[in-house]
């Protein structure tokens, strides 16, 4: 598809960041680690608590909660639910790490139903698509399997249409990390892949902290936003494949501090999903503390954003969580419009994190001193 470089001027001088105001509702019952929230048409929400390995139907008006499905290996059951997706008509889908070949469907009345296949055909071959997103008509999006990488550093984004059972390439994204420690890893130049990086890659013997890659998100209308970190810019891909490369966005270098290191170390020790064997051929699922070793090297500066920073709201605005000079600052988001310019900036309340959007609503988790999470609903800010 043709790539159009739009000569759009950068946004005018930044207006003061906005806030969400006060929550319109908060659930009294806490969760452990929520991975996703899906709002239904009647205002109720489906909540996936990944660490608690549970799914709930929540009515924020009455405070009532009810379980959806249960732990197990039978129909309508799950073992290690990780991701929650929206489907048309108030249906939803859940990715269960133990059953990677299909998504567990949740019906509009909040019941665990059948399995939605995530395999598609291309060139006579049947291939499973690892689902990363869905759109408003039920198509699934994911990264192509290993072996379809381009030039060793970029990878295809594919779209699976459940009606035809076929998937097709709709874009590509950098597949290598961008890090101040490893500048030779970078390949994110908007929608165009760079050539294979020259020279050997240095290995530190430990994890590379504060690494990021080009990231992408899908809007309900099927638009794809590819957000690159070097330089910080957004490429919008329309459903028919046309590209619009936005302007380079302001991203002043942020010096890494000891406080940033401390926050990273705390986050790196949070429990992670694991599957092990009980010795009798049966799998055991659980969350265990991460055993990630402490880095042997730290970068000097932070990229514009870190991993899992990009999402679309229901009004079609792209939200990108930015890194901040103050390591303990509340989450700060750039709100980006259809041509890749920053329309506004929103600062969330302290000790909260974004978990989903509804019709004119934003859902956050408020985190207390014991790391318990409380679901909050806010009004979606209008873009101005």
């Amino acid at each position: 598809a043709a790539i159009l470089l739009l000569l759009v001027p950068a946004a005018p001088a930044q207006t003061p960041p906005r806030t969400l105001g006060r929550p319109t509702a908060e659930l009294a019952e806490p969760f452990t680690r929520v991975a996703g929230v899906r709002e239904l048409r009647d205002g109720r929400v489906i909540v996936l608590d990944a660490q608690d390995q549970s799914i709930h139907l929540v009515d924020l008006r009455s405070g009532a909660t009810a379980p959806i499905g249960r732990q197990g290996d039978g129909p309508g059951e799950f073992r290690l639910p990780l991701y929650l997706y929206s489907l048309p008509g108030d249906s939803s889908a859940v990715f269960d790490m133990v059953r990677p070949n299909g998504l567990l469907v949740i019906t509009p009345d909040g019941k665990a139903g059948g399995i939605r296949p995530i395999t598609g055909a291309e060139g006579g071959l049947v291939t499973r698509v690892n689902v990363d997103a869905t759109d408003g008509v039920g198509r699934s999006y994911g990264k192509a399997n290993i072996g379809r990488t381009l030039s060793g550093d970029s990878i295809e984004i594919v779209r699976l249409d459940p009606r035809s059972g076929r998937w097709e390439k709709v874009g590509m994204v950098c597949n290598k990390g961008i890090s101040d420690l490893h500048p030779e890893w970078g390949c994110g130049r908007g929608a165009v892949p760079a050539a294979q990086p020259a020279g050997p890659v240095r290995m530190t013997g430990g994890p590379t902290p504060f690494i990021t890659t080009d990231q992408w998100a899908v809007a309900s209308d099927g638009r794809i936003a590819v957000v690159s970190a070097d330089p910080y810019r957004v490429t919008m891909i329309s459903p028919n494949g046309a590209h619009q490369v936005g302007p380079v966005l302001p991203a002043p270098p942020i010096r890494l501090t000891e406080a940033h290191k401390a926050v990273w170390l705390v986050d790196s020790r949070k429990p992670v999903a694991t599957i092990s064997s009980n010795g009798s051929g049966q799998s055991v699922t659980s969350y265990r503390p991460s055993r990630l070793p402490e880095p042997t090297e730290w970068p000097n500066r932070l990229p514009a954003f870190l991993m899992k920073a990009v999402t679309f709201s229901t009004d079609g605005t792209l939200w990108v969580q930015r890194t901040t000079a103050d390591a303990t600052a509340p989450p700060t988001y750039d709100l980006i419009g259809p041509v890749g310019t920053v329309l506004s900036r929103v600062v969330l309340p302290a000790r909260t994190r974004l978990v989903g959007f509804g019709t004119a609503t934003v859902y956050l988790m408020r985190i207390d001193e014991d790391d318990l999470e409380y679901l909050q609903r806010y009004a979606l800010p209008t873009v101005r």
Side-chain angles (χ1 to χ4, degrees):
I3 297 177
L4 305 177
L5 180 61
L6 297 186
L7 300 179
V8 180
Q14 291 286 336
T15 57
R18 305 163 62 189
T19 66
L20 296 179
R22 294 182 176 274
T24 59
E26 177 174 307
L27 188 68
E29 181 179 342
F31 296 97
T32 304
R33 183 71 177 174
V34 168
V37 171
R38 155 77 154 133
E39 184 184 85
L40 304 179
R41 292 175 184 172
D42 62 6
R44 293 181 300 167
V45 293
I46 296 172
V47 179
L48 170 59
D49 190 333
Q51 188 169 329
D52 215 27
Q53 297 172 248
S54 59
I55 309 171
H56 307 263
L57 183 62
V58 174
D59 188 332
L60 279 167
R61 289 172 293 189
S62 67
T65 66
I68 296 176
R70 62 181 181 179
Q71 286 279 322
D73 296 316
E77 296 179 338
F78 49 82
R79 295 287 301 282
L80 199 56
L82 295 184
Y83 306 113
L84 177 65
Y85 305 102
S86 298
L87 296 178
D90 255 6
S91 293
S92 306
V94 171
F95 174 77
D96 186 352
M97 185 174 175
V98 178
R99 298 187 181 91
N101 292 322
L103 303 177
L104 174 66
V105 175
I106 299 176
T107 62
D109 58 354
K111 306 294 183 182
I115 299 296
R116 176 187 173 95
I118 52 175
T119 56
E122 189 209 31
L125 299 177
V126 176
T127 307
R128 179 169 62 87
V129 176
N130 297 316
V131 177
D132 292 305
T134 56
D135 65 18
V137 296
R139 294 174 297 191
S140 300
Y141 297 75
K143 295 182 291 292
N145 292 334
I146 295 174
R148 294 183 60 82
T149 54
L150 307 176
S151 303
D153 58 4
S154 293
I155 196 166
E156 293 179 356
I157 302 171
V158 295
R159 179 175 62 208
L160 173 64
D161 190 330
R163 295 166 297 185
S164 66
R166 302 186 63 83
W167 58 265
E168 60 180 340
K169 173 188 170 183
V170 290
M172 56 190 177
V173 67
C174 179
N175 193 43
K176 284 187 176 293
I178 298 170
S179 169
D180 185 44
L181 287 174
H182 297 287
E184 67 270 35
W185 284 2
C187 69
R189 298 292 187 265
V192 183
Q196 180 77 6
V201 174
R202 295 180 291 117
M203 301 302 293
T204 64
T208 300
F210 300 107
I211 193 171
T212 194
T213 65
D214 286 1
Q215 294 179 48
W216 58 282
V218 180
S220 62
D221 62 6
R223 287 179 300 127
I224 301 171
V226 176
V227 187
S228 57
D230 182 24
Y232 176 37
R233 75 190 320 162
V234 178
T235 298
M236 293 289 185
I237 306 174
S238 69
N240 65 8
H243 290 57
Q244 293 183 339
V245 181
V248 174
L249 301 173
I254 296 177
R255 182 178 63 87
L256 187 75
T257 66
E258 292 300 317
H260 287 115
K261 296 179 184 179
V263 169
W264 189 93
L265 289 171
V266 169
D267 288 342
S268 71
R269 299 296 186 265
K270 290 181 178 178
V272 295
T274 61
I275 301 177
S276 58
S277 174
N278 63 1
S280 301
Q282 295 180 326
S283 60
V284 177
T285 60
S286 63
Y287 271 74
R288 298 179 181 178
S290 172
R291 298 179 180 177
L292 197 66
E294 186 168 338
T296 57
E297 287 186 276
W298 294 90
N300 294 317
R301 58 186 175 86
L302 297 175
F305 55 85
L306 299 176
M307 301 298 288
K308 299 181 180 180
V310 178
T311 186
F312 272 103
S313 64
T314 47
D315 66 359
T317 303
L318 182 69
W319 288 49
V320 179
Q321 184 175 0
R322 296 294 305 276
T323 51
T324 54
D326 179 357
T328 60
T332 300
Y333 283 82
D334 283 346
L335 274 57
I336 297 177
V339 295
T341 56
V342 178
L343 305 177
S344 183
R345 177 168 285 191
V346 168
V347 178
L348 304 186
R351 293 189 63 82
T352 65
R353 62 186 185 87
L354 177 64
V355 290
F357 296 94
T359 304
T361 54
V362 183
Y363 290 93
L364 307 183
M365 303 308 300
R366 177 179 65 82
I367 306 168
D368 71 7
E369 295 179 354
D370 296 319
D371 282 340
L372 294 175
E373 300 189 342
Y374 295 83
L375 178 65
Q376 295 182 320
R377 176 188 283 158
Y378 292 80
L380 180 68
T382 56
V383 178
R384 59 175 185 236

